[in-house]
Amino acid sequence: MRKKIVAGNWKMNMNLQDGVALAKELNDTLTAQKPNCGVIICTPFIHLASIAQFLDQSVIGLGAENCADKEKGAYTGEVSAEMVKSTGAQYVIIGHSERRGYYNDTPEVLKEKVLLALKNGLKVIFCIGESLEEREANKQNEVVKAELEGSVFNLSAEEFKNIIVAYEPIWAIGTGKTATADQAEEIHAYIRSVIADKYGKEVADDTTILYGGSCKASNAPELFAKPDIDGGLIGGASLKAADFKGIIDAR
Ligand code: PGA
């Protein structure tokens, strides 16, 4: 059966000291009282090596928020999938709408990033989701399908088992506007059906599909009660241990 997961996406928040302190607090809390779902924290690159030293990764997985689309070499300022892996991290977020929107991560670029992440033994949290304009034009299904086709449906079924999908409607990210549980369930079920068409029912049933976008302790129970919502990718509410724990407890 697929894994239930609550993952944090710190984005560009927390200096090294504050990030280490937050990870320590989470580590202490969750090792003392084991969560009944998988928990992952995805942090800026600079935190990874320090946090990996003390994090009990049997309880909290560690991931990056991005990686380069090139293997190595003269790409000033970039961080490769191999470098991420060498810190002790096990996951990487690829295709977040902020990367697509602000940094021109095209489907082709994302496809390369996914391949390099998998090649280096990282599991990928692959983000998809429509804009408000696309939702208002009722194009959300075709958008998410195209995003999967554009960057991950080139993978074999075996490779695809290392992909966690995160559905994040862009209009709900950081806006306080959450998709209703019914809206989210409808598209999660659709995403699972698209995966089933491509890889078969068994792979689709085993794929973890997270919801992201203004998810917090107050709305998580309703979202997580839906059969195709396997957990959450949490931005703002992952920056305080108590808030994040509230969501973990809802799973
Ligand atoms: P949010 O961000 O929870 O702050 O809306 C979610 C995300 O972008 O991953």
Side-chain angles (χ1 to χ4, degrees):
M1 221 15 216
R2 58 183 176 262
K3 252 190 130 178
K4 311 285 183 192
I5 293 172
V6 173
N9 172 13
W10 290 7
K11 308 193 180 185
M12 198 172 74
N13 294 297
M14 300 274 162
N15 64 27
L16 180 60
Q17 290 72 27
D18 293 346
V20 164
L22 173 58
K24 280 208 166 114
E25 194 181 349
L26 284 170
N27 197 56
D28 289 347
T29 309
L30 297 179
T31 48
Q33 193 199 335
K34 295 249 159 61
N36 49 19
C37 65
V39 175
I40 302 168
I41 52 174
C42 296
T43 79
F45 293 127
I46 63 132
H47 297 70
L48 294 173
S50 304
I51 292 177
Q53 284 175 23
F54 62 81
L55 200 69
D56 180 347
Q57 287 203 49
S58 68
V59 180
I60 310 178
L62 181 62
E65 301 169 11
N66 180 33
C67 67
D69 61 335
K70 303 288 193 301
E71 193 142 15
K72 65 188 292 192
Y75 301 102
T76 302
E78 287 295 295
V79 176
S80 71
E82 189 198 353
M83 293 171 186
V84 169
K85 178 73 181 181
S86 74
T87 65
Q90 301 167 330
Y91 297 88
V92 59
I93 297 173
I94 294 180
H96 193 281
S97 57
E98 287 151 18
R99 296 292 321 171
R100 293 177 191 261
Y102 303 147
Y103 299 98
N104 200 29
D105 275 8
T106 62
E108 271 307 309
V109 165
L110 296 174
K111 191 175 178 178
E112 292 306 315
K113 292 185 176 191
V114 169
L115 286 172
L116 286 165
L118 296 184
K119 186 177 170 191
N120 285 284
L122 295 168
K123 290 192 192 313
V124 172
I125 301 174
F126 186 72
C127 302
I128 56 179
E130 81 286 354
S131 65
L132 182 58
E133 209 182 2
E134 289 160 341
R135 166 70 60 169
E136 283 171 346
N138 202 27
K139 287 193 172 144
Q140 62 275 13
N141 286 10
E142 57 183 275
V143 170
V144 296
K145 185 171 186 226
E147 286 175 332
L148 291 168
E149 286 173 345
S151 309
V152 292
F153 275 4
N154 55 302
L155 301 174
S156 68
E158 204 46 44
E159 289 168 328
F160 191 81
K161 290 179 183 163
N162 295 302
I163 305 287
I164 296 162
V165 175
Y167 167 68
E168 300 202 307
I170 298 167
W171 47 272
I173 296 176
T175 57
K177 239 190 198 180
T178 331
T180 65
D182 286 337
Q183 263 176 336
E185 169 57 20
E186 190 182 351
I187 192 156
H188 277 235
Y190 172 74
I191 292 163
R192 201 177 303 288
S193 76
V194 170
I195 297 169
D197 288 344
K198 171 72 188 169
Y199 293 110
K201 188 171 182 310
E202 201 180 311
V203 172
D205 283 345
D206 283 347
T207 302
T208 298
I209 307 178
L210 307 178
Y211 170 80
S214 298
C215 184
K216 39 190 184 293
S218 56
N219 57 28
E222 200 190 346
L223 287 159
F224 295 171
K226 297 292 182 188
D228 288 292
I229 302 178
D230 305 315
L233 180 56
I234 319 299
S238 72
L239 297 174
K240 286 204 182 105
D243 294 349
F244 194 47
K245 173 81 167 37
I247 299 172
I248 292 164
D249 289 345
R251 178 65 278 185

